[in-house]
Amino acid sequence: ETGVTQTPRHLVMGMTNKKSLKCEQHLGHNAMYWYKQSAKKPLELMFVYSLEERVENNSVPSRFSPECPNSSHLFLHLHTLQPEDSALYLCASSQGLSLTEAFFGQGTRLTVV
Amino acid sequence: SQQGEEDPQALSIQEGENATMNCSYKTSINNLQWYRQNSGRGLVHLILIRSNEREKHSGRLRVTLDTSKKSSSLLITASRAADTASYFCATEAHNAGNMLTFGGGTRLMVKP
């Protein structure tokens, strides 16, 4: 248990569906992240929020829409995804953005059919 | 873009042996971190080494950093079957807004 909880753990969705991934951290951290992990590819940083403001958006397609309503919660809204978006989506949090370790959730295994 | 690259991509050893994994990176960094990931799970932080440090220990782990060669190594001594996992280096680089950038990882298998 890392203090970062992601739900759901597994998600299968059609290309026309809309779904949301949820991440909650109980560590009092002020930065949260979404990463995408595909088979045989390095972990890709998608979005970074610091103090509830987005500070990084790594050229992610608009079919992925993040939301950070407060410092403890982070969402990733999904719509009209493609099969190549199937991956493990990892949420992480940290205290600050520099010289700090990241705490990861267990991930959501997403399959787009 | 990928900053850190681990070598080897896969490593298989017997229990009790030492495992060494290497990481190379391209630009100057603030710090380098090593993480572990069990299959299909989240990453767990192992150790952080700052750019002005050369070596750091944590239990059976030893990390070295050579900023002149832009490389780091992770040594796991007296390996156990439970050490089987993927190991990733992550760099916090000046030119990446101090965000962590991960390498592709080394898959370590420790046979009992």
Side-chain angles (χ1 to χ4, degrees), chain B residues 11-16 79-84 108-112:
Chain B
L11 180 62
S12 181
I13 60 174
Q14 292 295 135
E15 205 165 27
S79 64
R80 304 167 183 167
D83 293 329
T84 295
L108 173 66
M109 175 172 287
V110 181
K111 299 175 185 175

Side-chain angles (χ1 to χ4, degrees), chain B residues 65-79:
Chain B
L65 179 64
D66 187 335
T67 52
S68 66
K69 295 181 180 178
K70 291 186 170 59
S71 68
S72 172
S73 68
L74 170 67
L75 168 67
I76 303 175
T77 60
S79 64

Side-chain angles (χ1 to χ4, degrees), chain A residues 37 97-100 102 105-106, chain B residues 33 35 37 41-42 92 98:
Chain A
Q37 187 175 35
L97 294 176
S98 183
L99 283 173
T100 181
Q106 295 298 300
Chain B
Q33 303 181 33
Y35 287 79
Q37 183 182 33
R41 308 290 291 272
E92 184 188 302
N98 295 329

Side-chain angles (χ1 to χ4, degrees), chain A residues 25-84:
Chain A
Q25 58 98 358
H26 308 278
L27 302 167
H29 289 165
N30 56 16
M32 296 187 78
Y33 312 77
W34 279 117
Y35 284 89
K36 175 183 178 182
Q37 187 175 35
S38 305
K40 299 182 181 179
K41 289 178 70 175
L43 213 61
E44 300 172 60
L45 178 63
M46 299 175 73
F47 300 103
V48 181
Y49 278 82
S50 176
L51 299 172
E52 300 155 45
E53 289 197 11
R54 190 190 304 179
V55 297
E56 182 77 16
N57 174 1
N58 264 354
S59 302
V60 179
S62 60
R63 57 186 184 269
F64 295 91
S65 175
E67 179 190 0
C68 186
N70 55 62
S71 59
S72 299
H73 294 86
L74 185 65
F75 295 89
L76 187 62
H77 303 300
L78 316 170
H79 64 98
T80 59
L81 294 192
Q82 304 297 312
E84 60 264 30

Side-chain angles (χ1 to χ4, degrees), chain A residues 33-35 42-48 56 58 92-94 96-104, chain B residues 1-4 29-35 43 45 47-49 88-103:
Chain A
Y33 312 77
W34 279 117
Y35 284 89
L43 213 61
E44 300 172 60
L45 178 63
M46 299 175 73
F47 300 103
V48 181
E56 182 77 16
N58 264 354
S93 71
S94 65
L97 294 176
S98 183
L99 283 173
T100 181
E101 67 178 272
F103 289 76
F104 283 81
Chain B
S1 64
Q2 186 175 343
Q3 162 77 317
I29 60 172
N30 293 327
N31 68 79
L32 185 144
Q33 303 181 33
W34 284 91
Y35 287 79
L43 280 73
H45 181 264
I47 201 163
L48 181 155
I49 186 164
F88 297 86
C89 70
T91 52
E92 184 188 302
H94 296 296
N95 69 348
N98 295 329
M99 306 298 174
L100 277 182
T101 306
F102 285 81

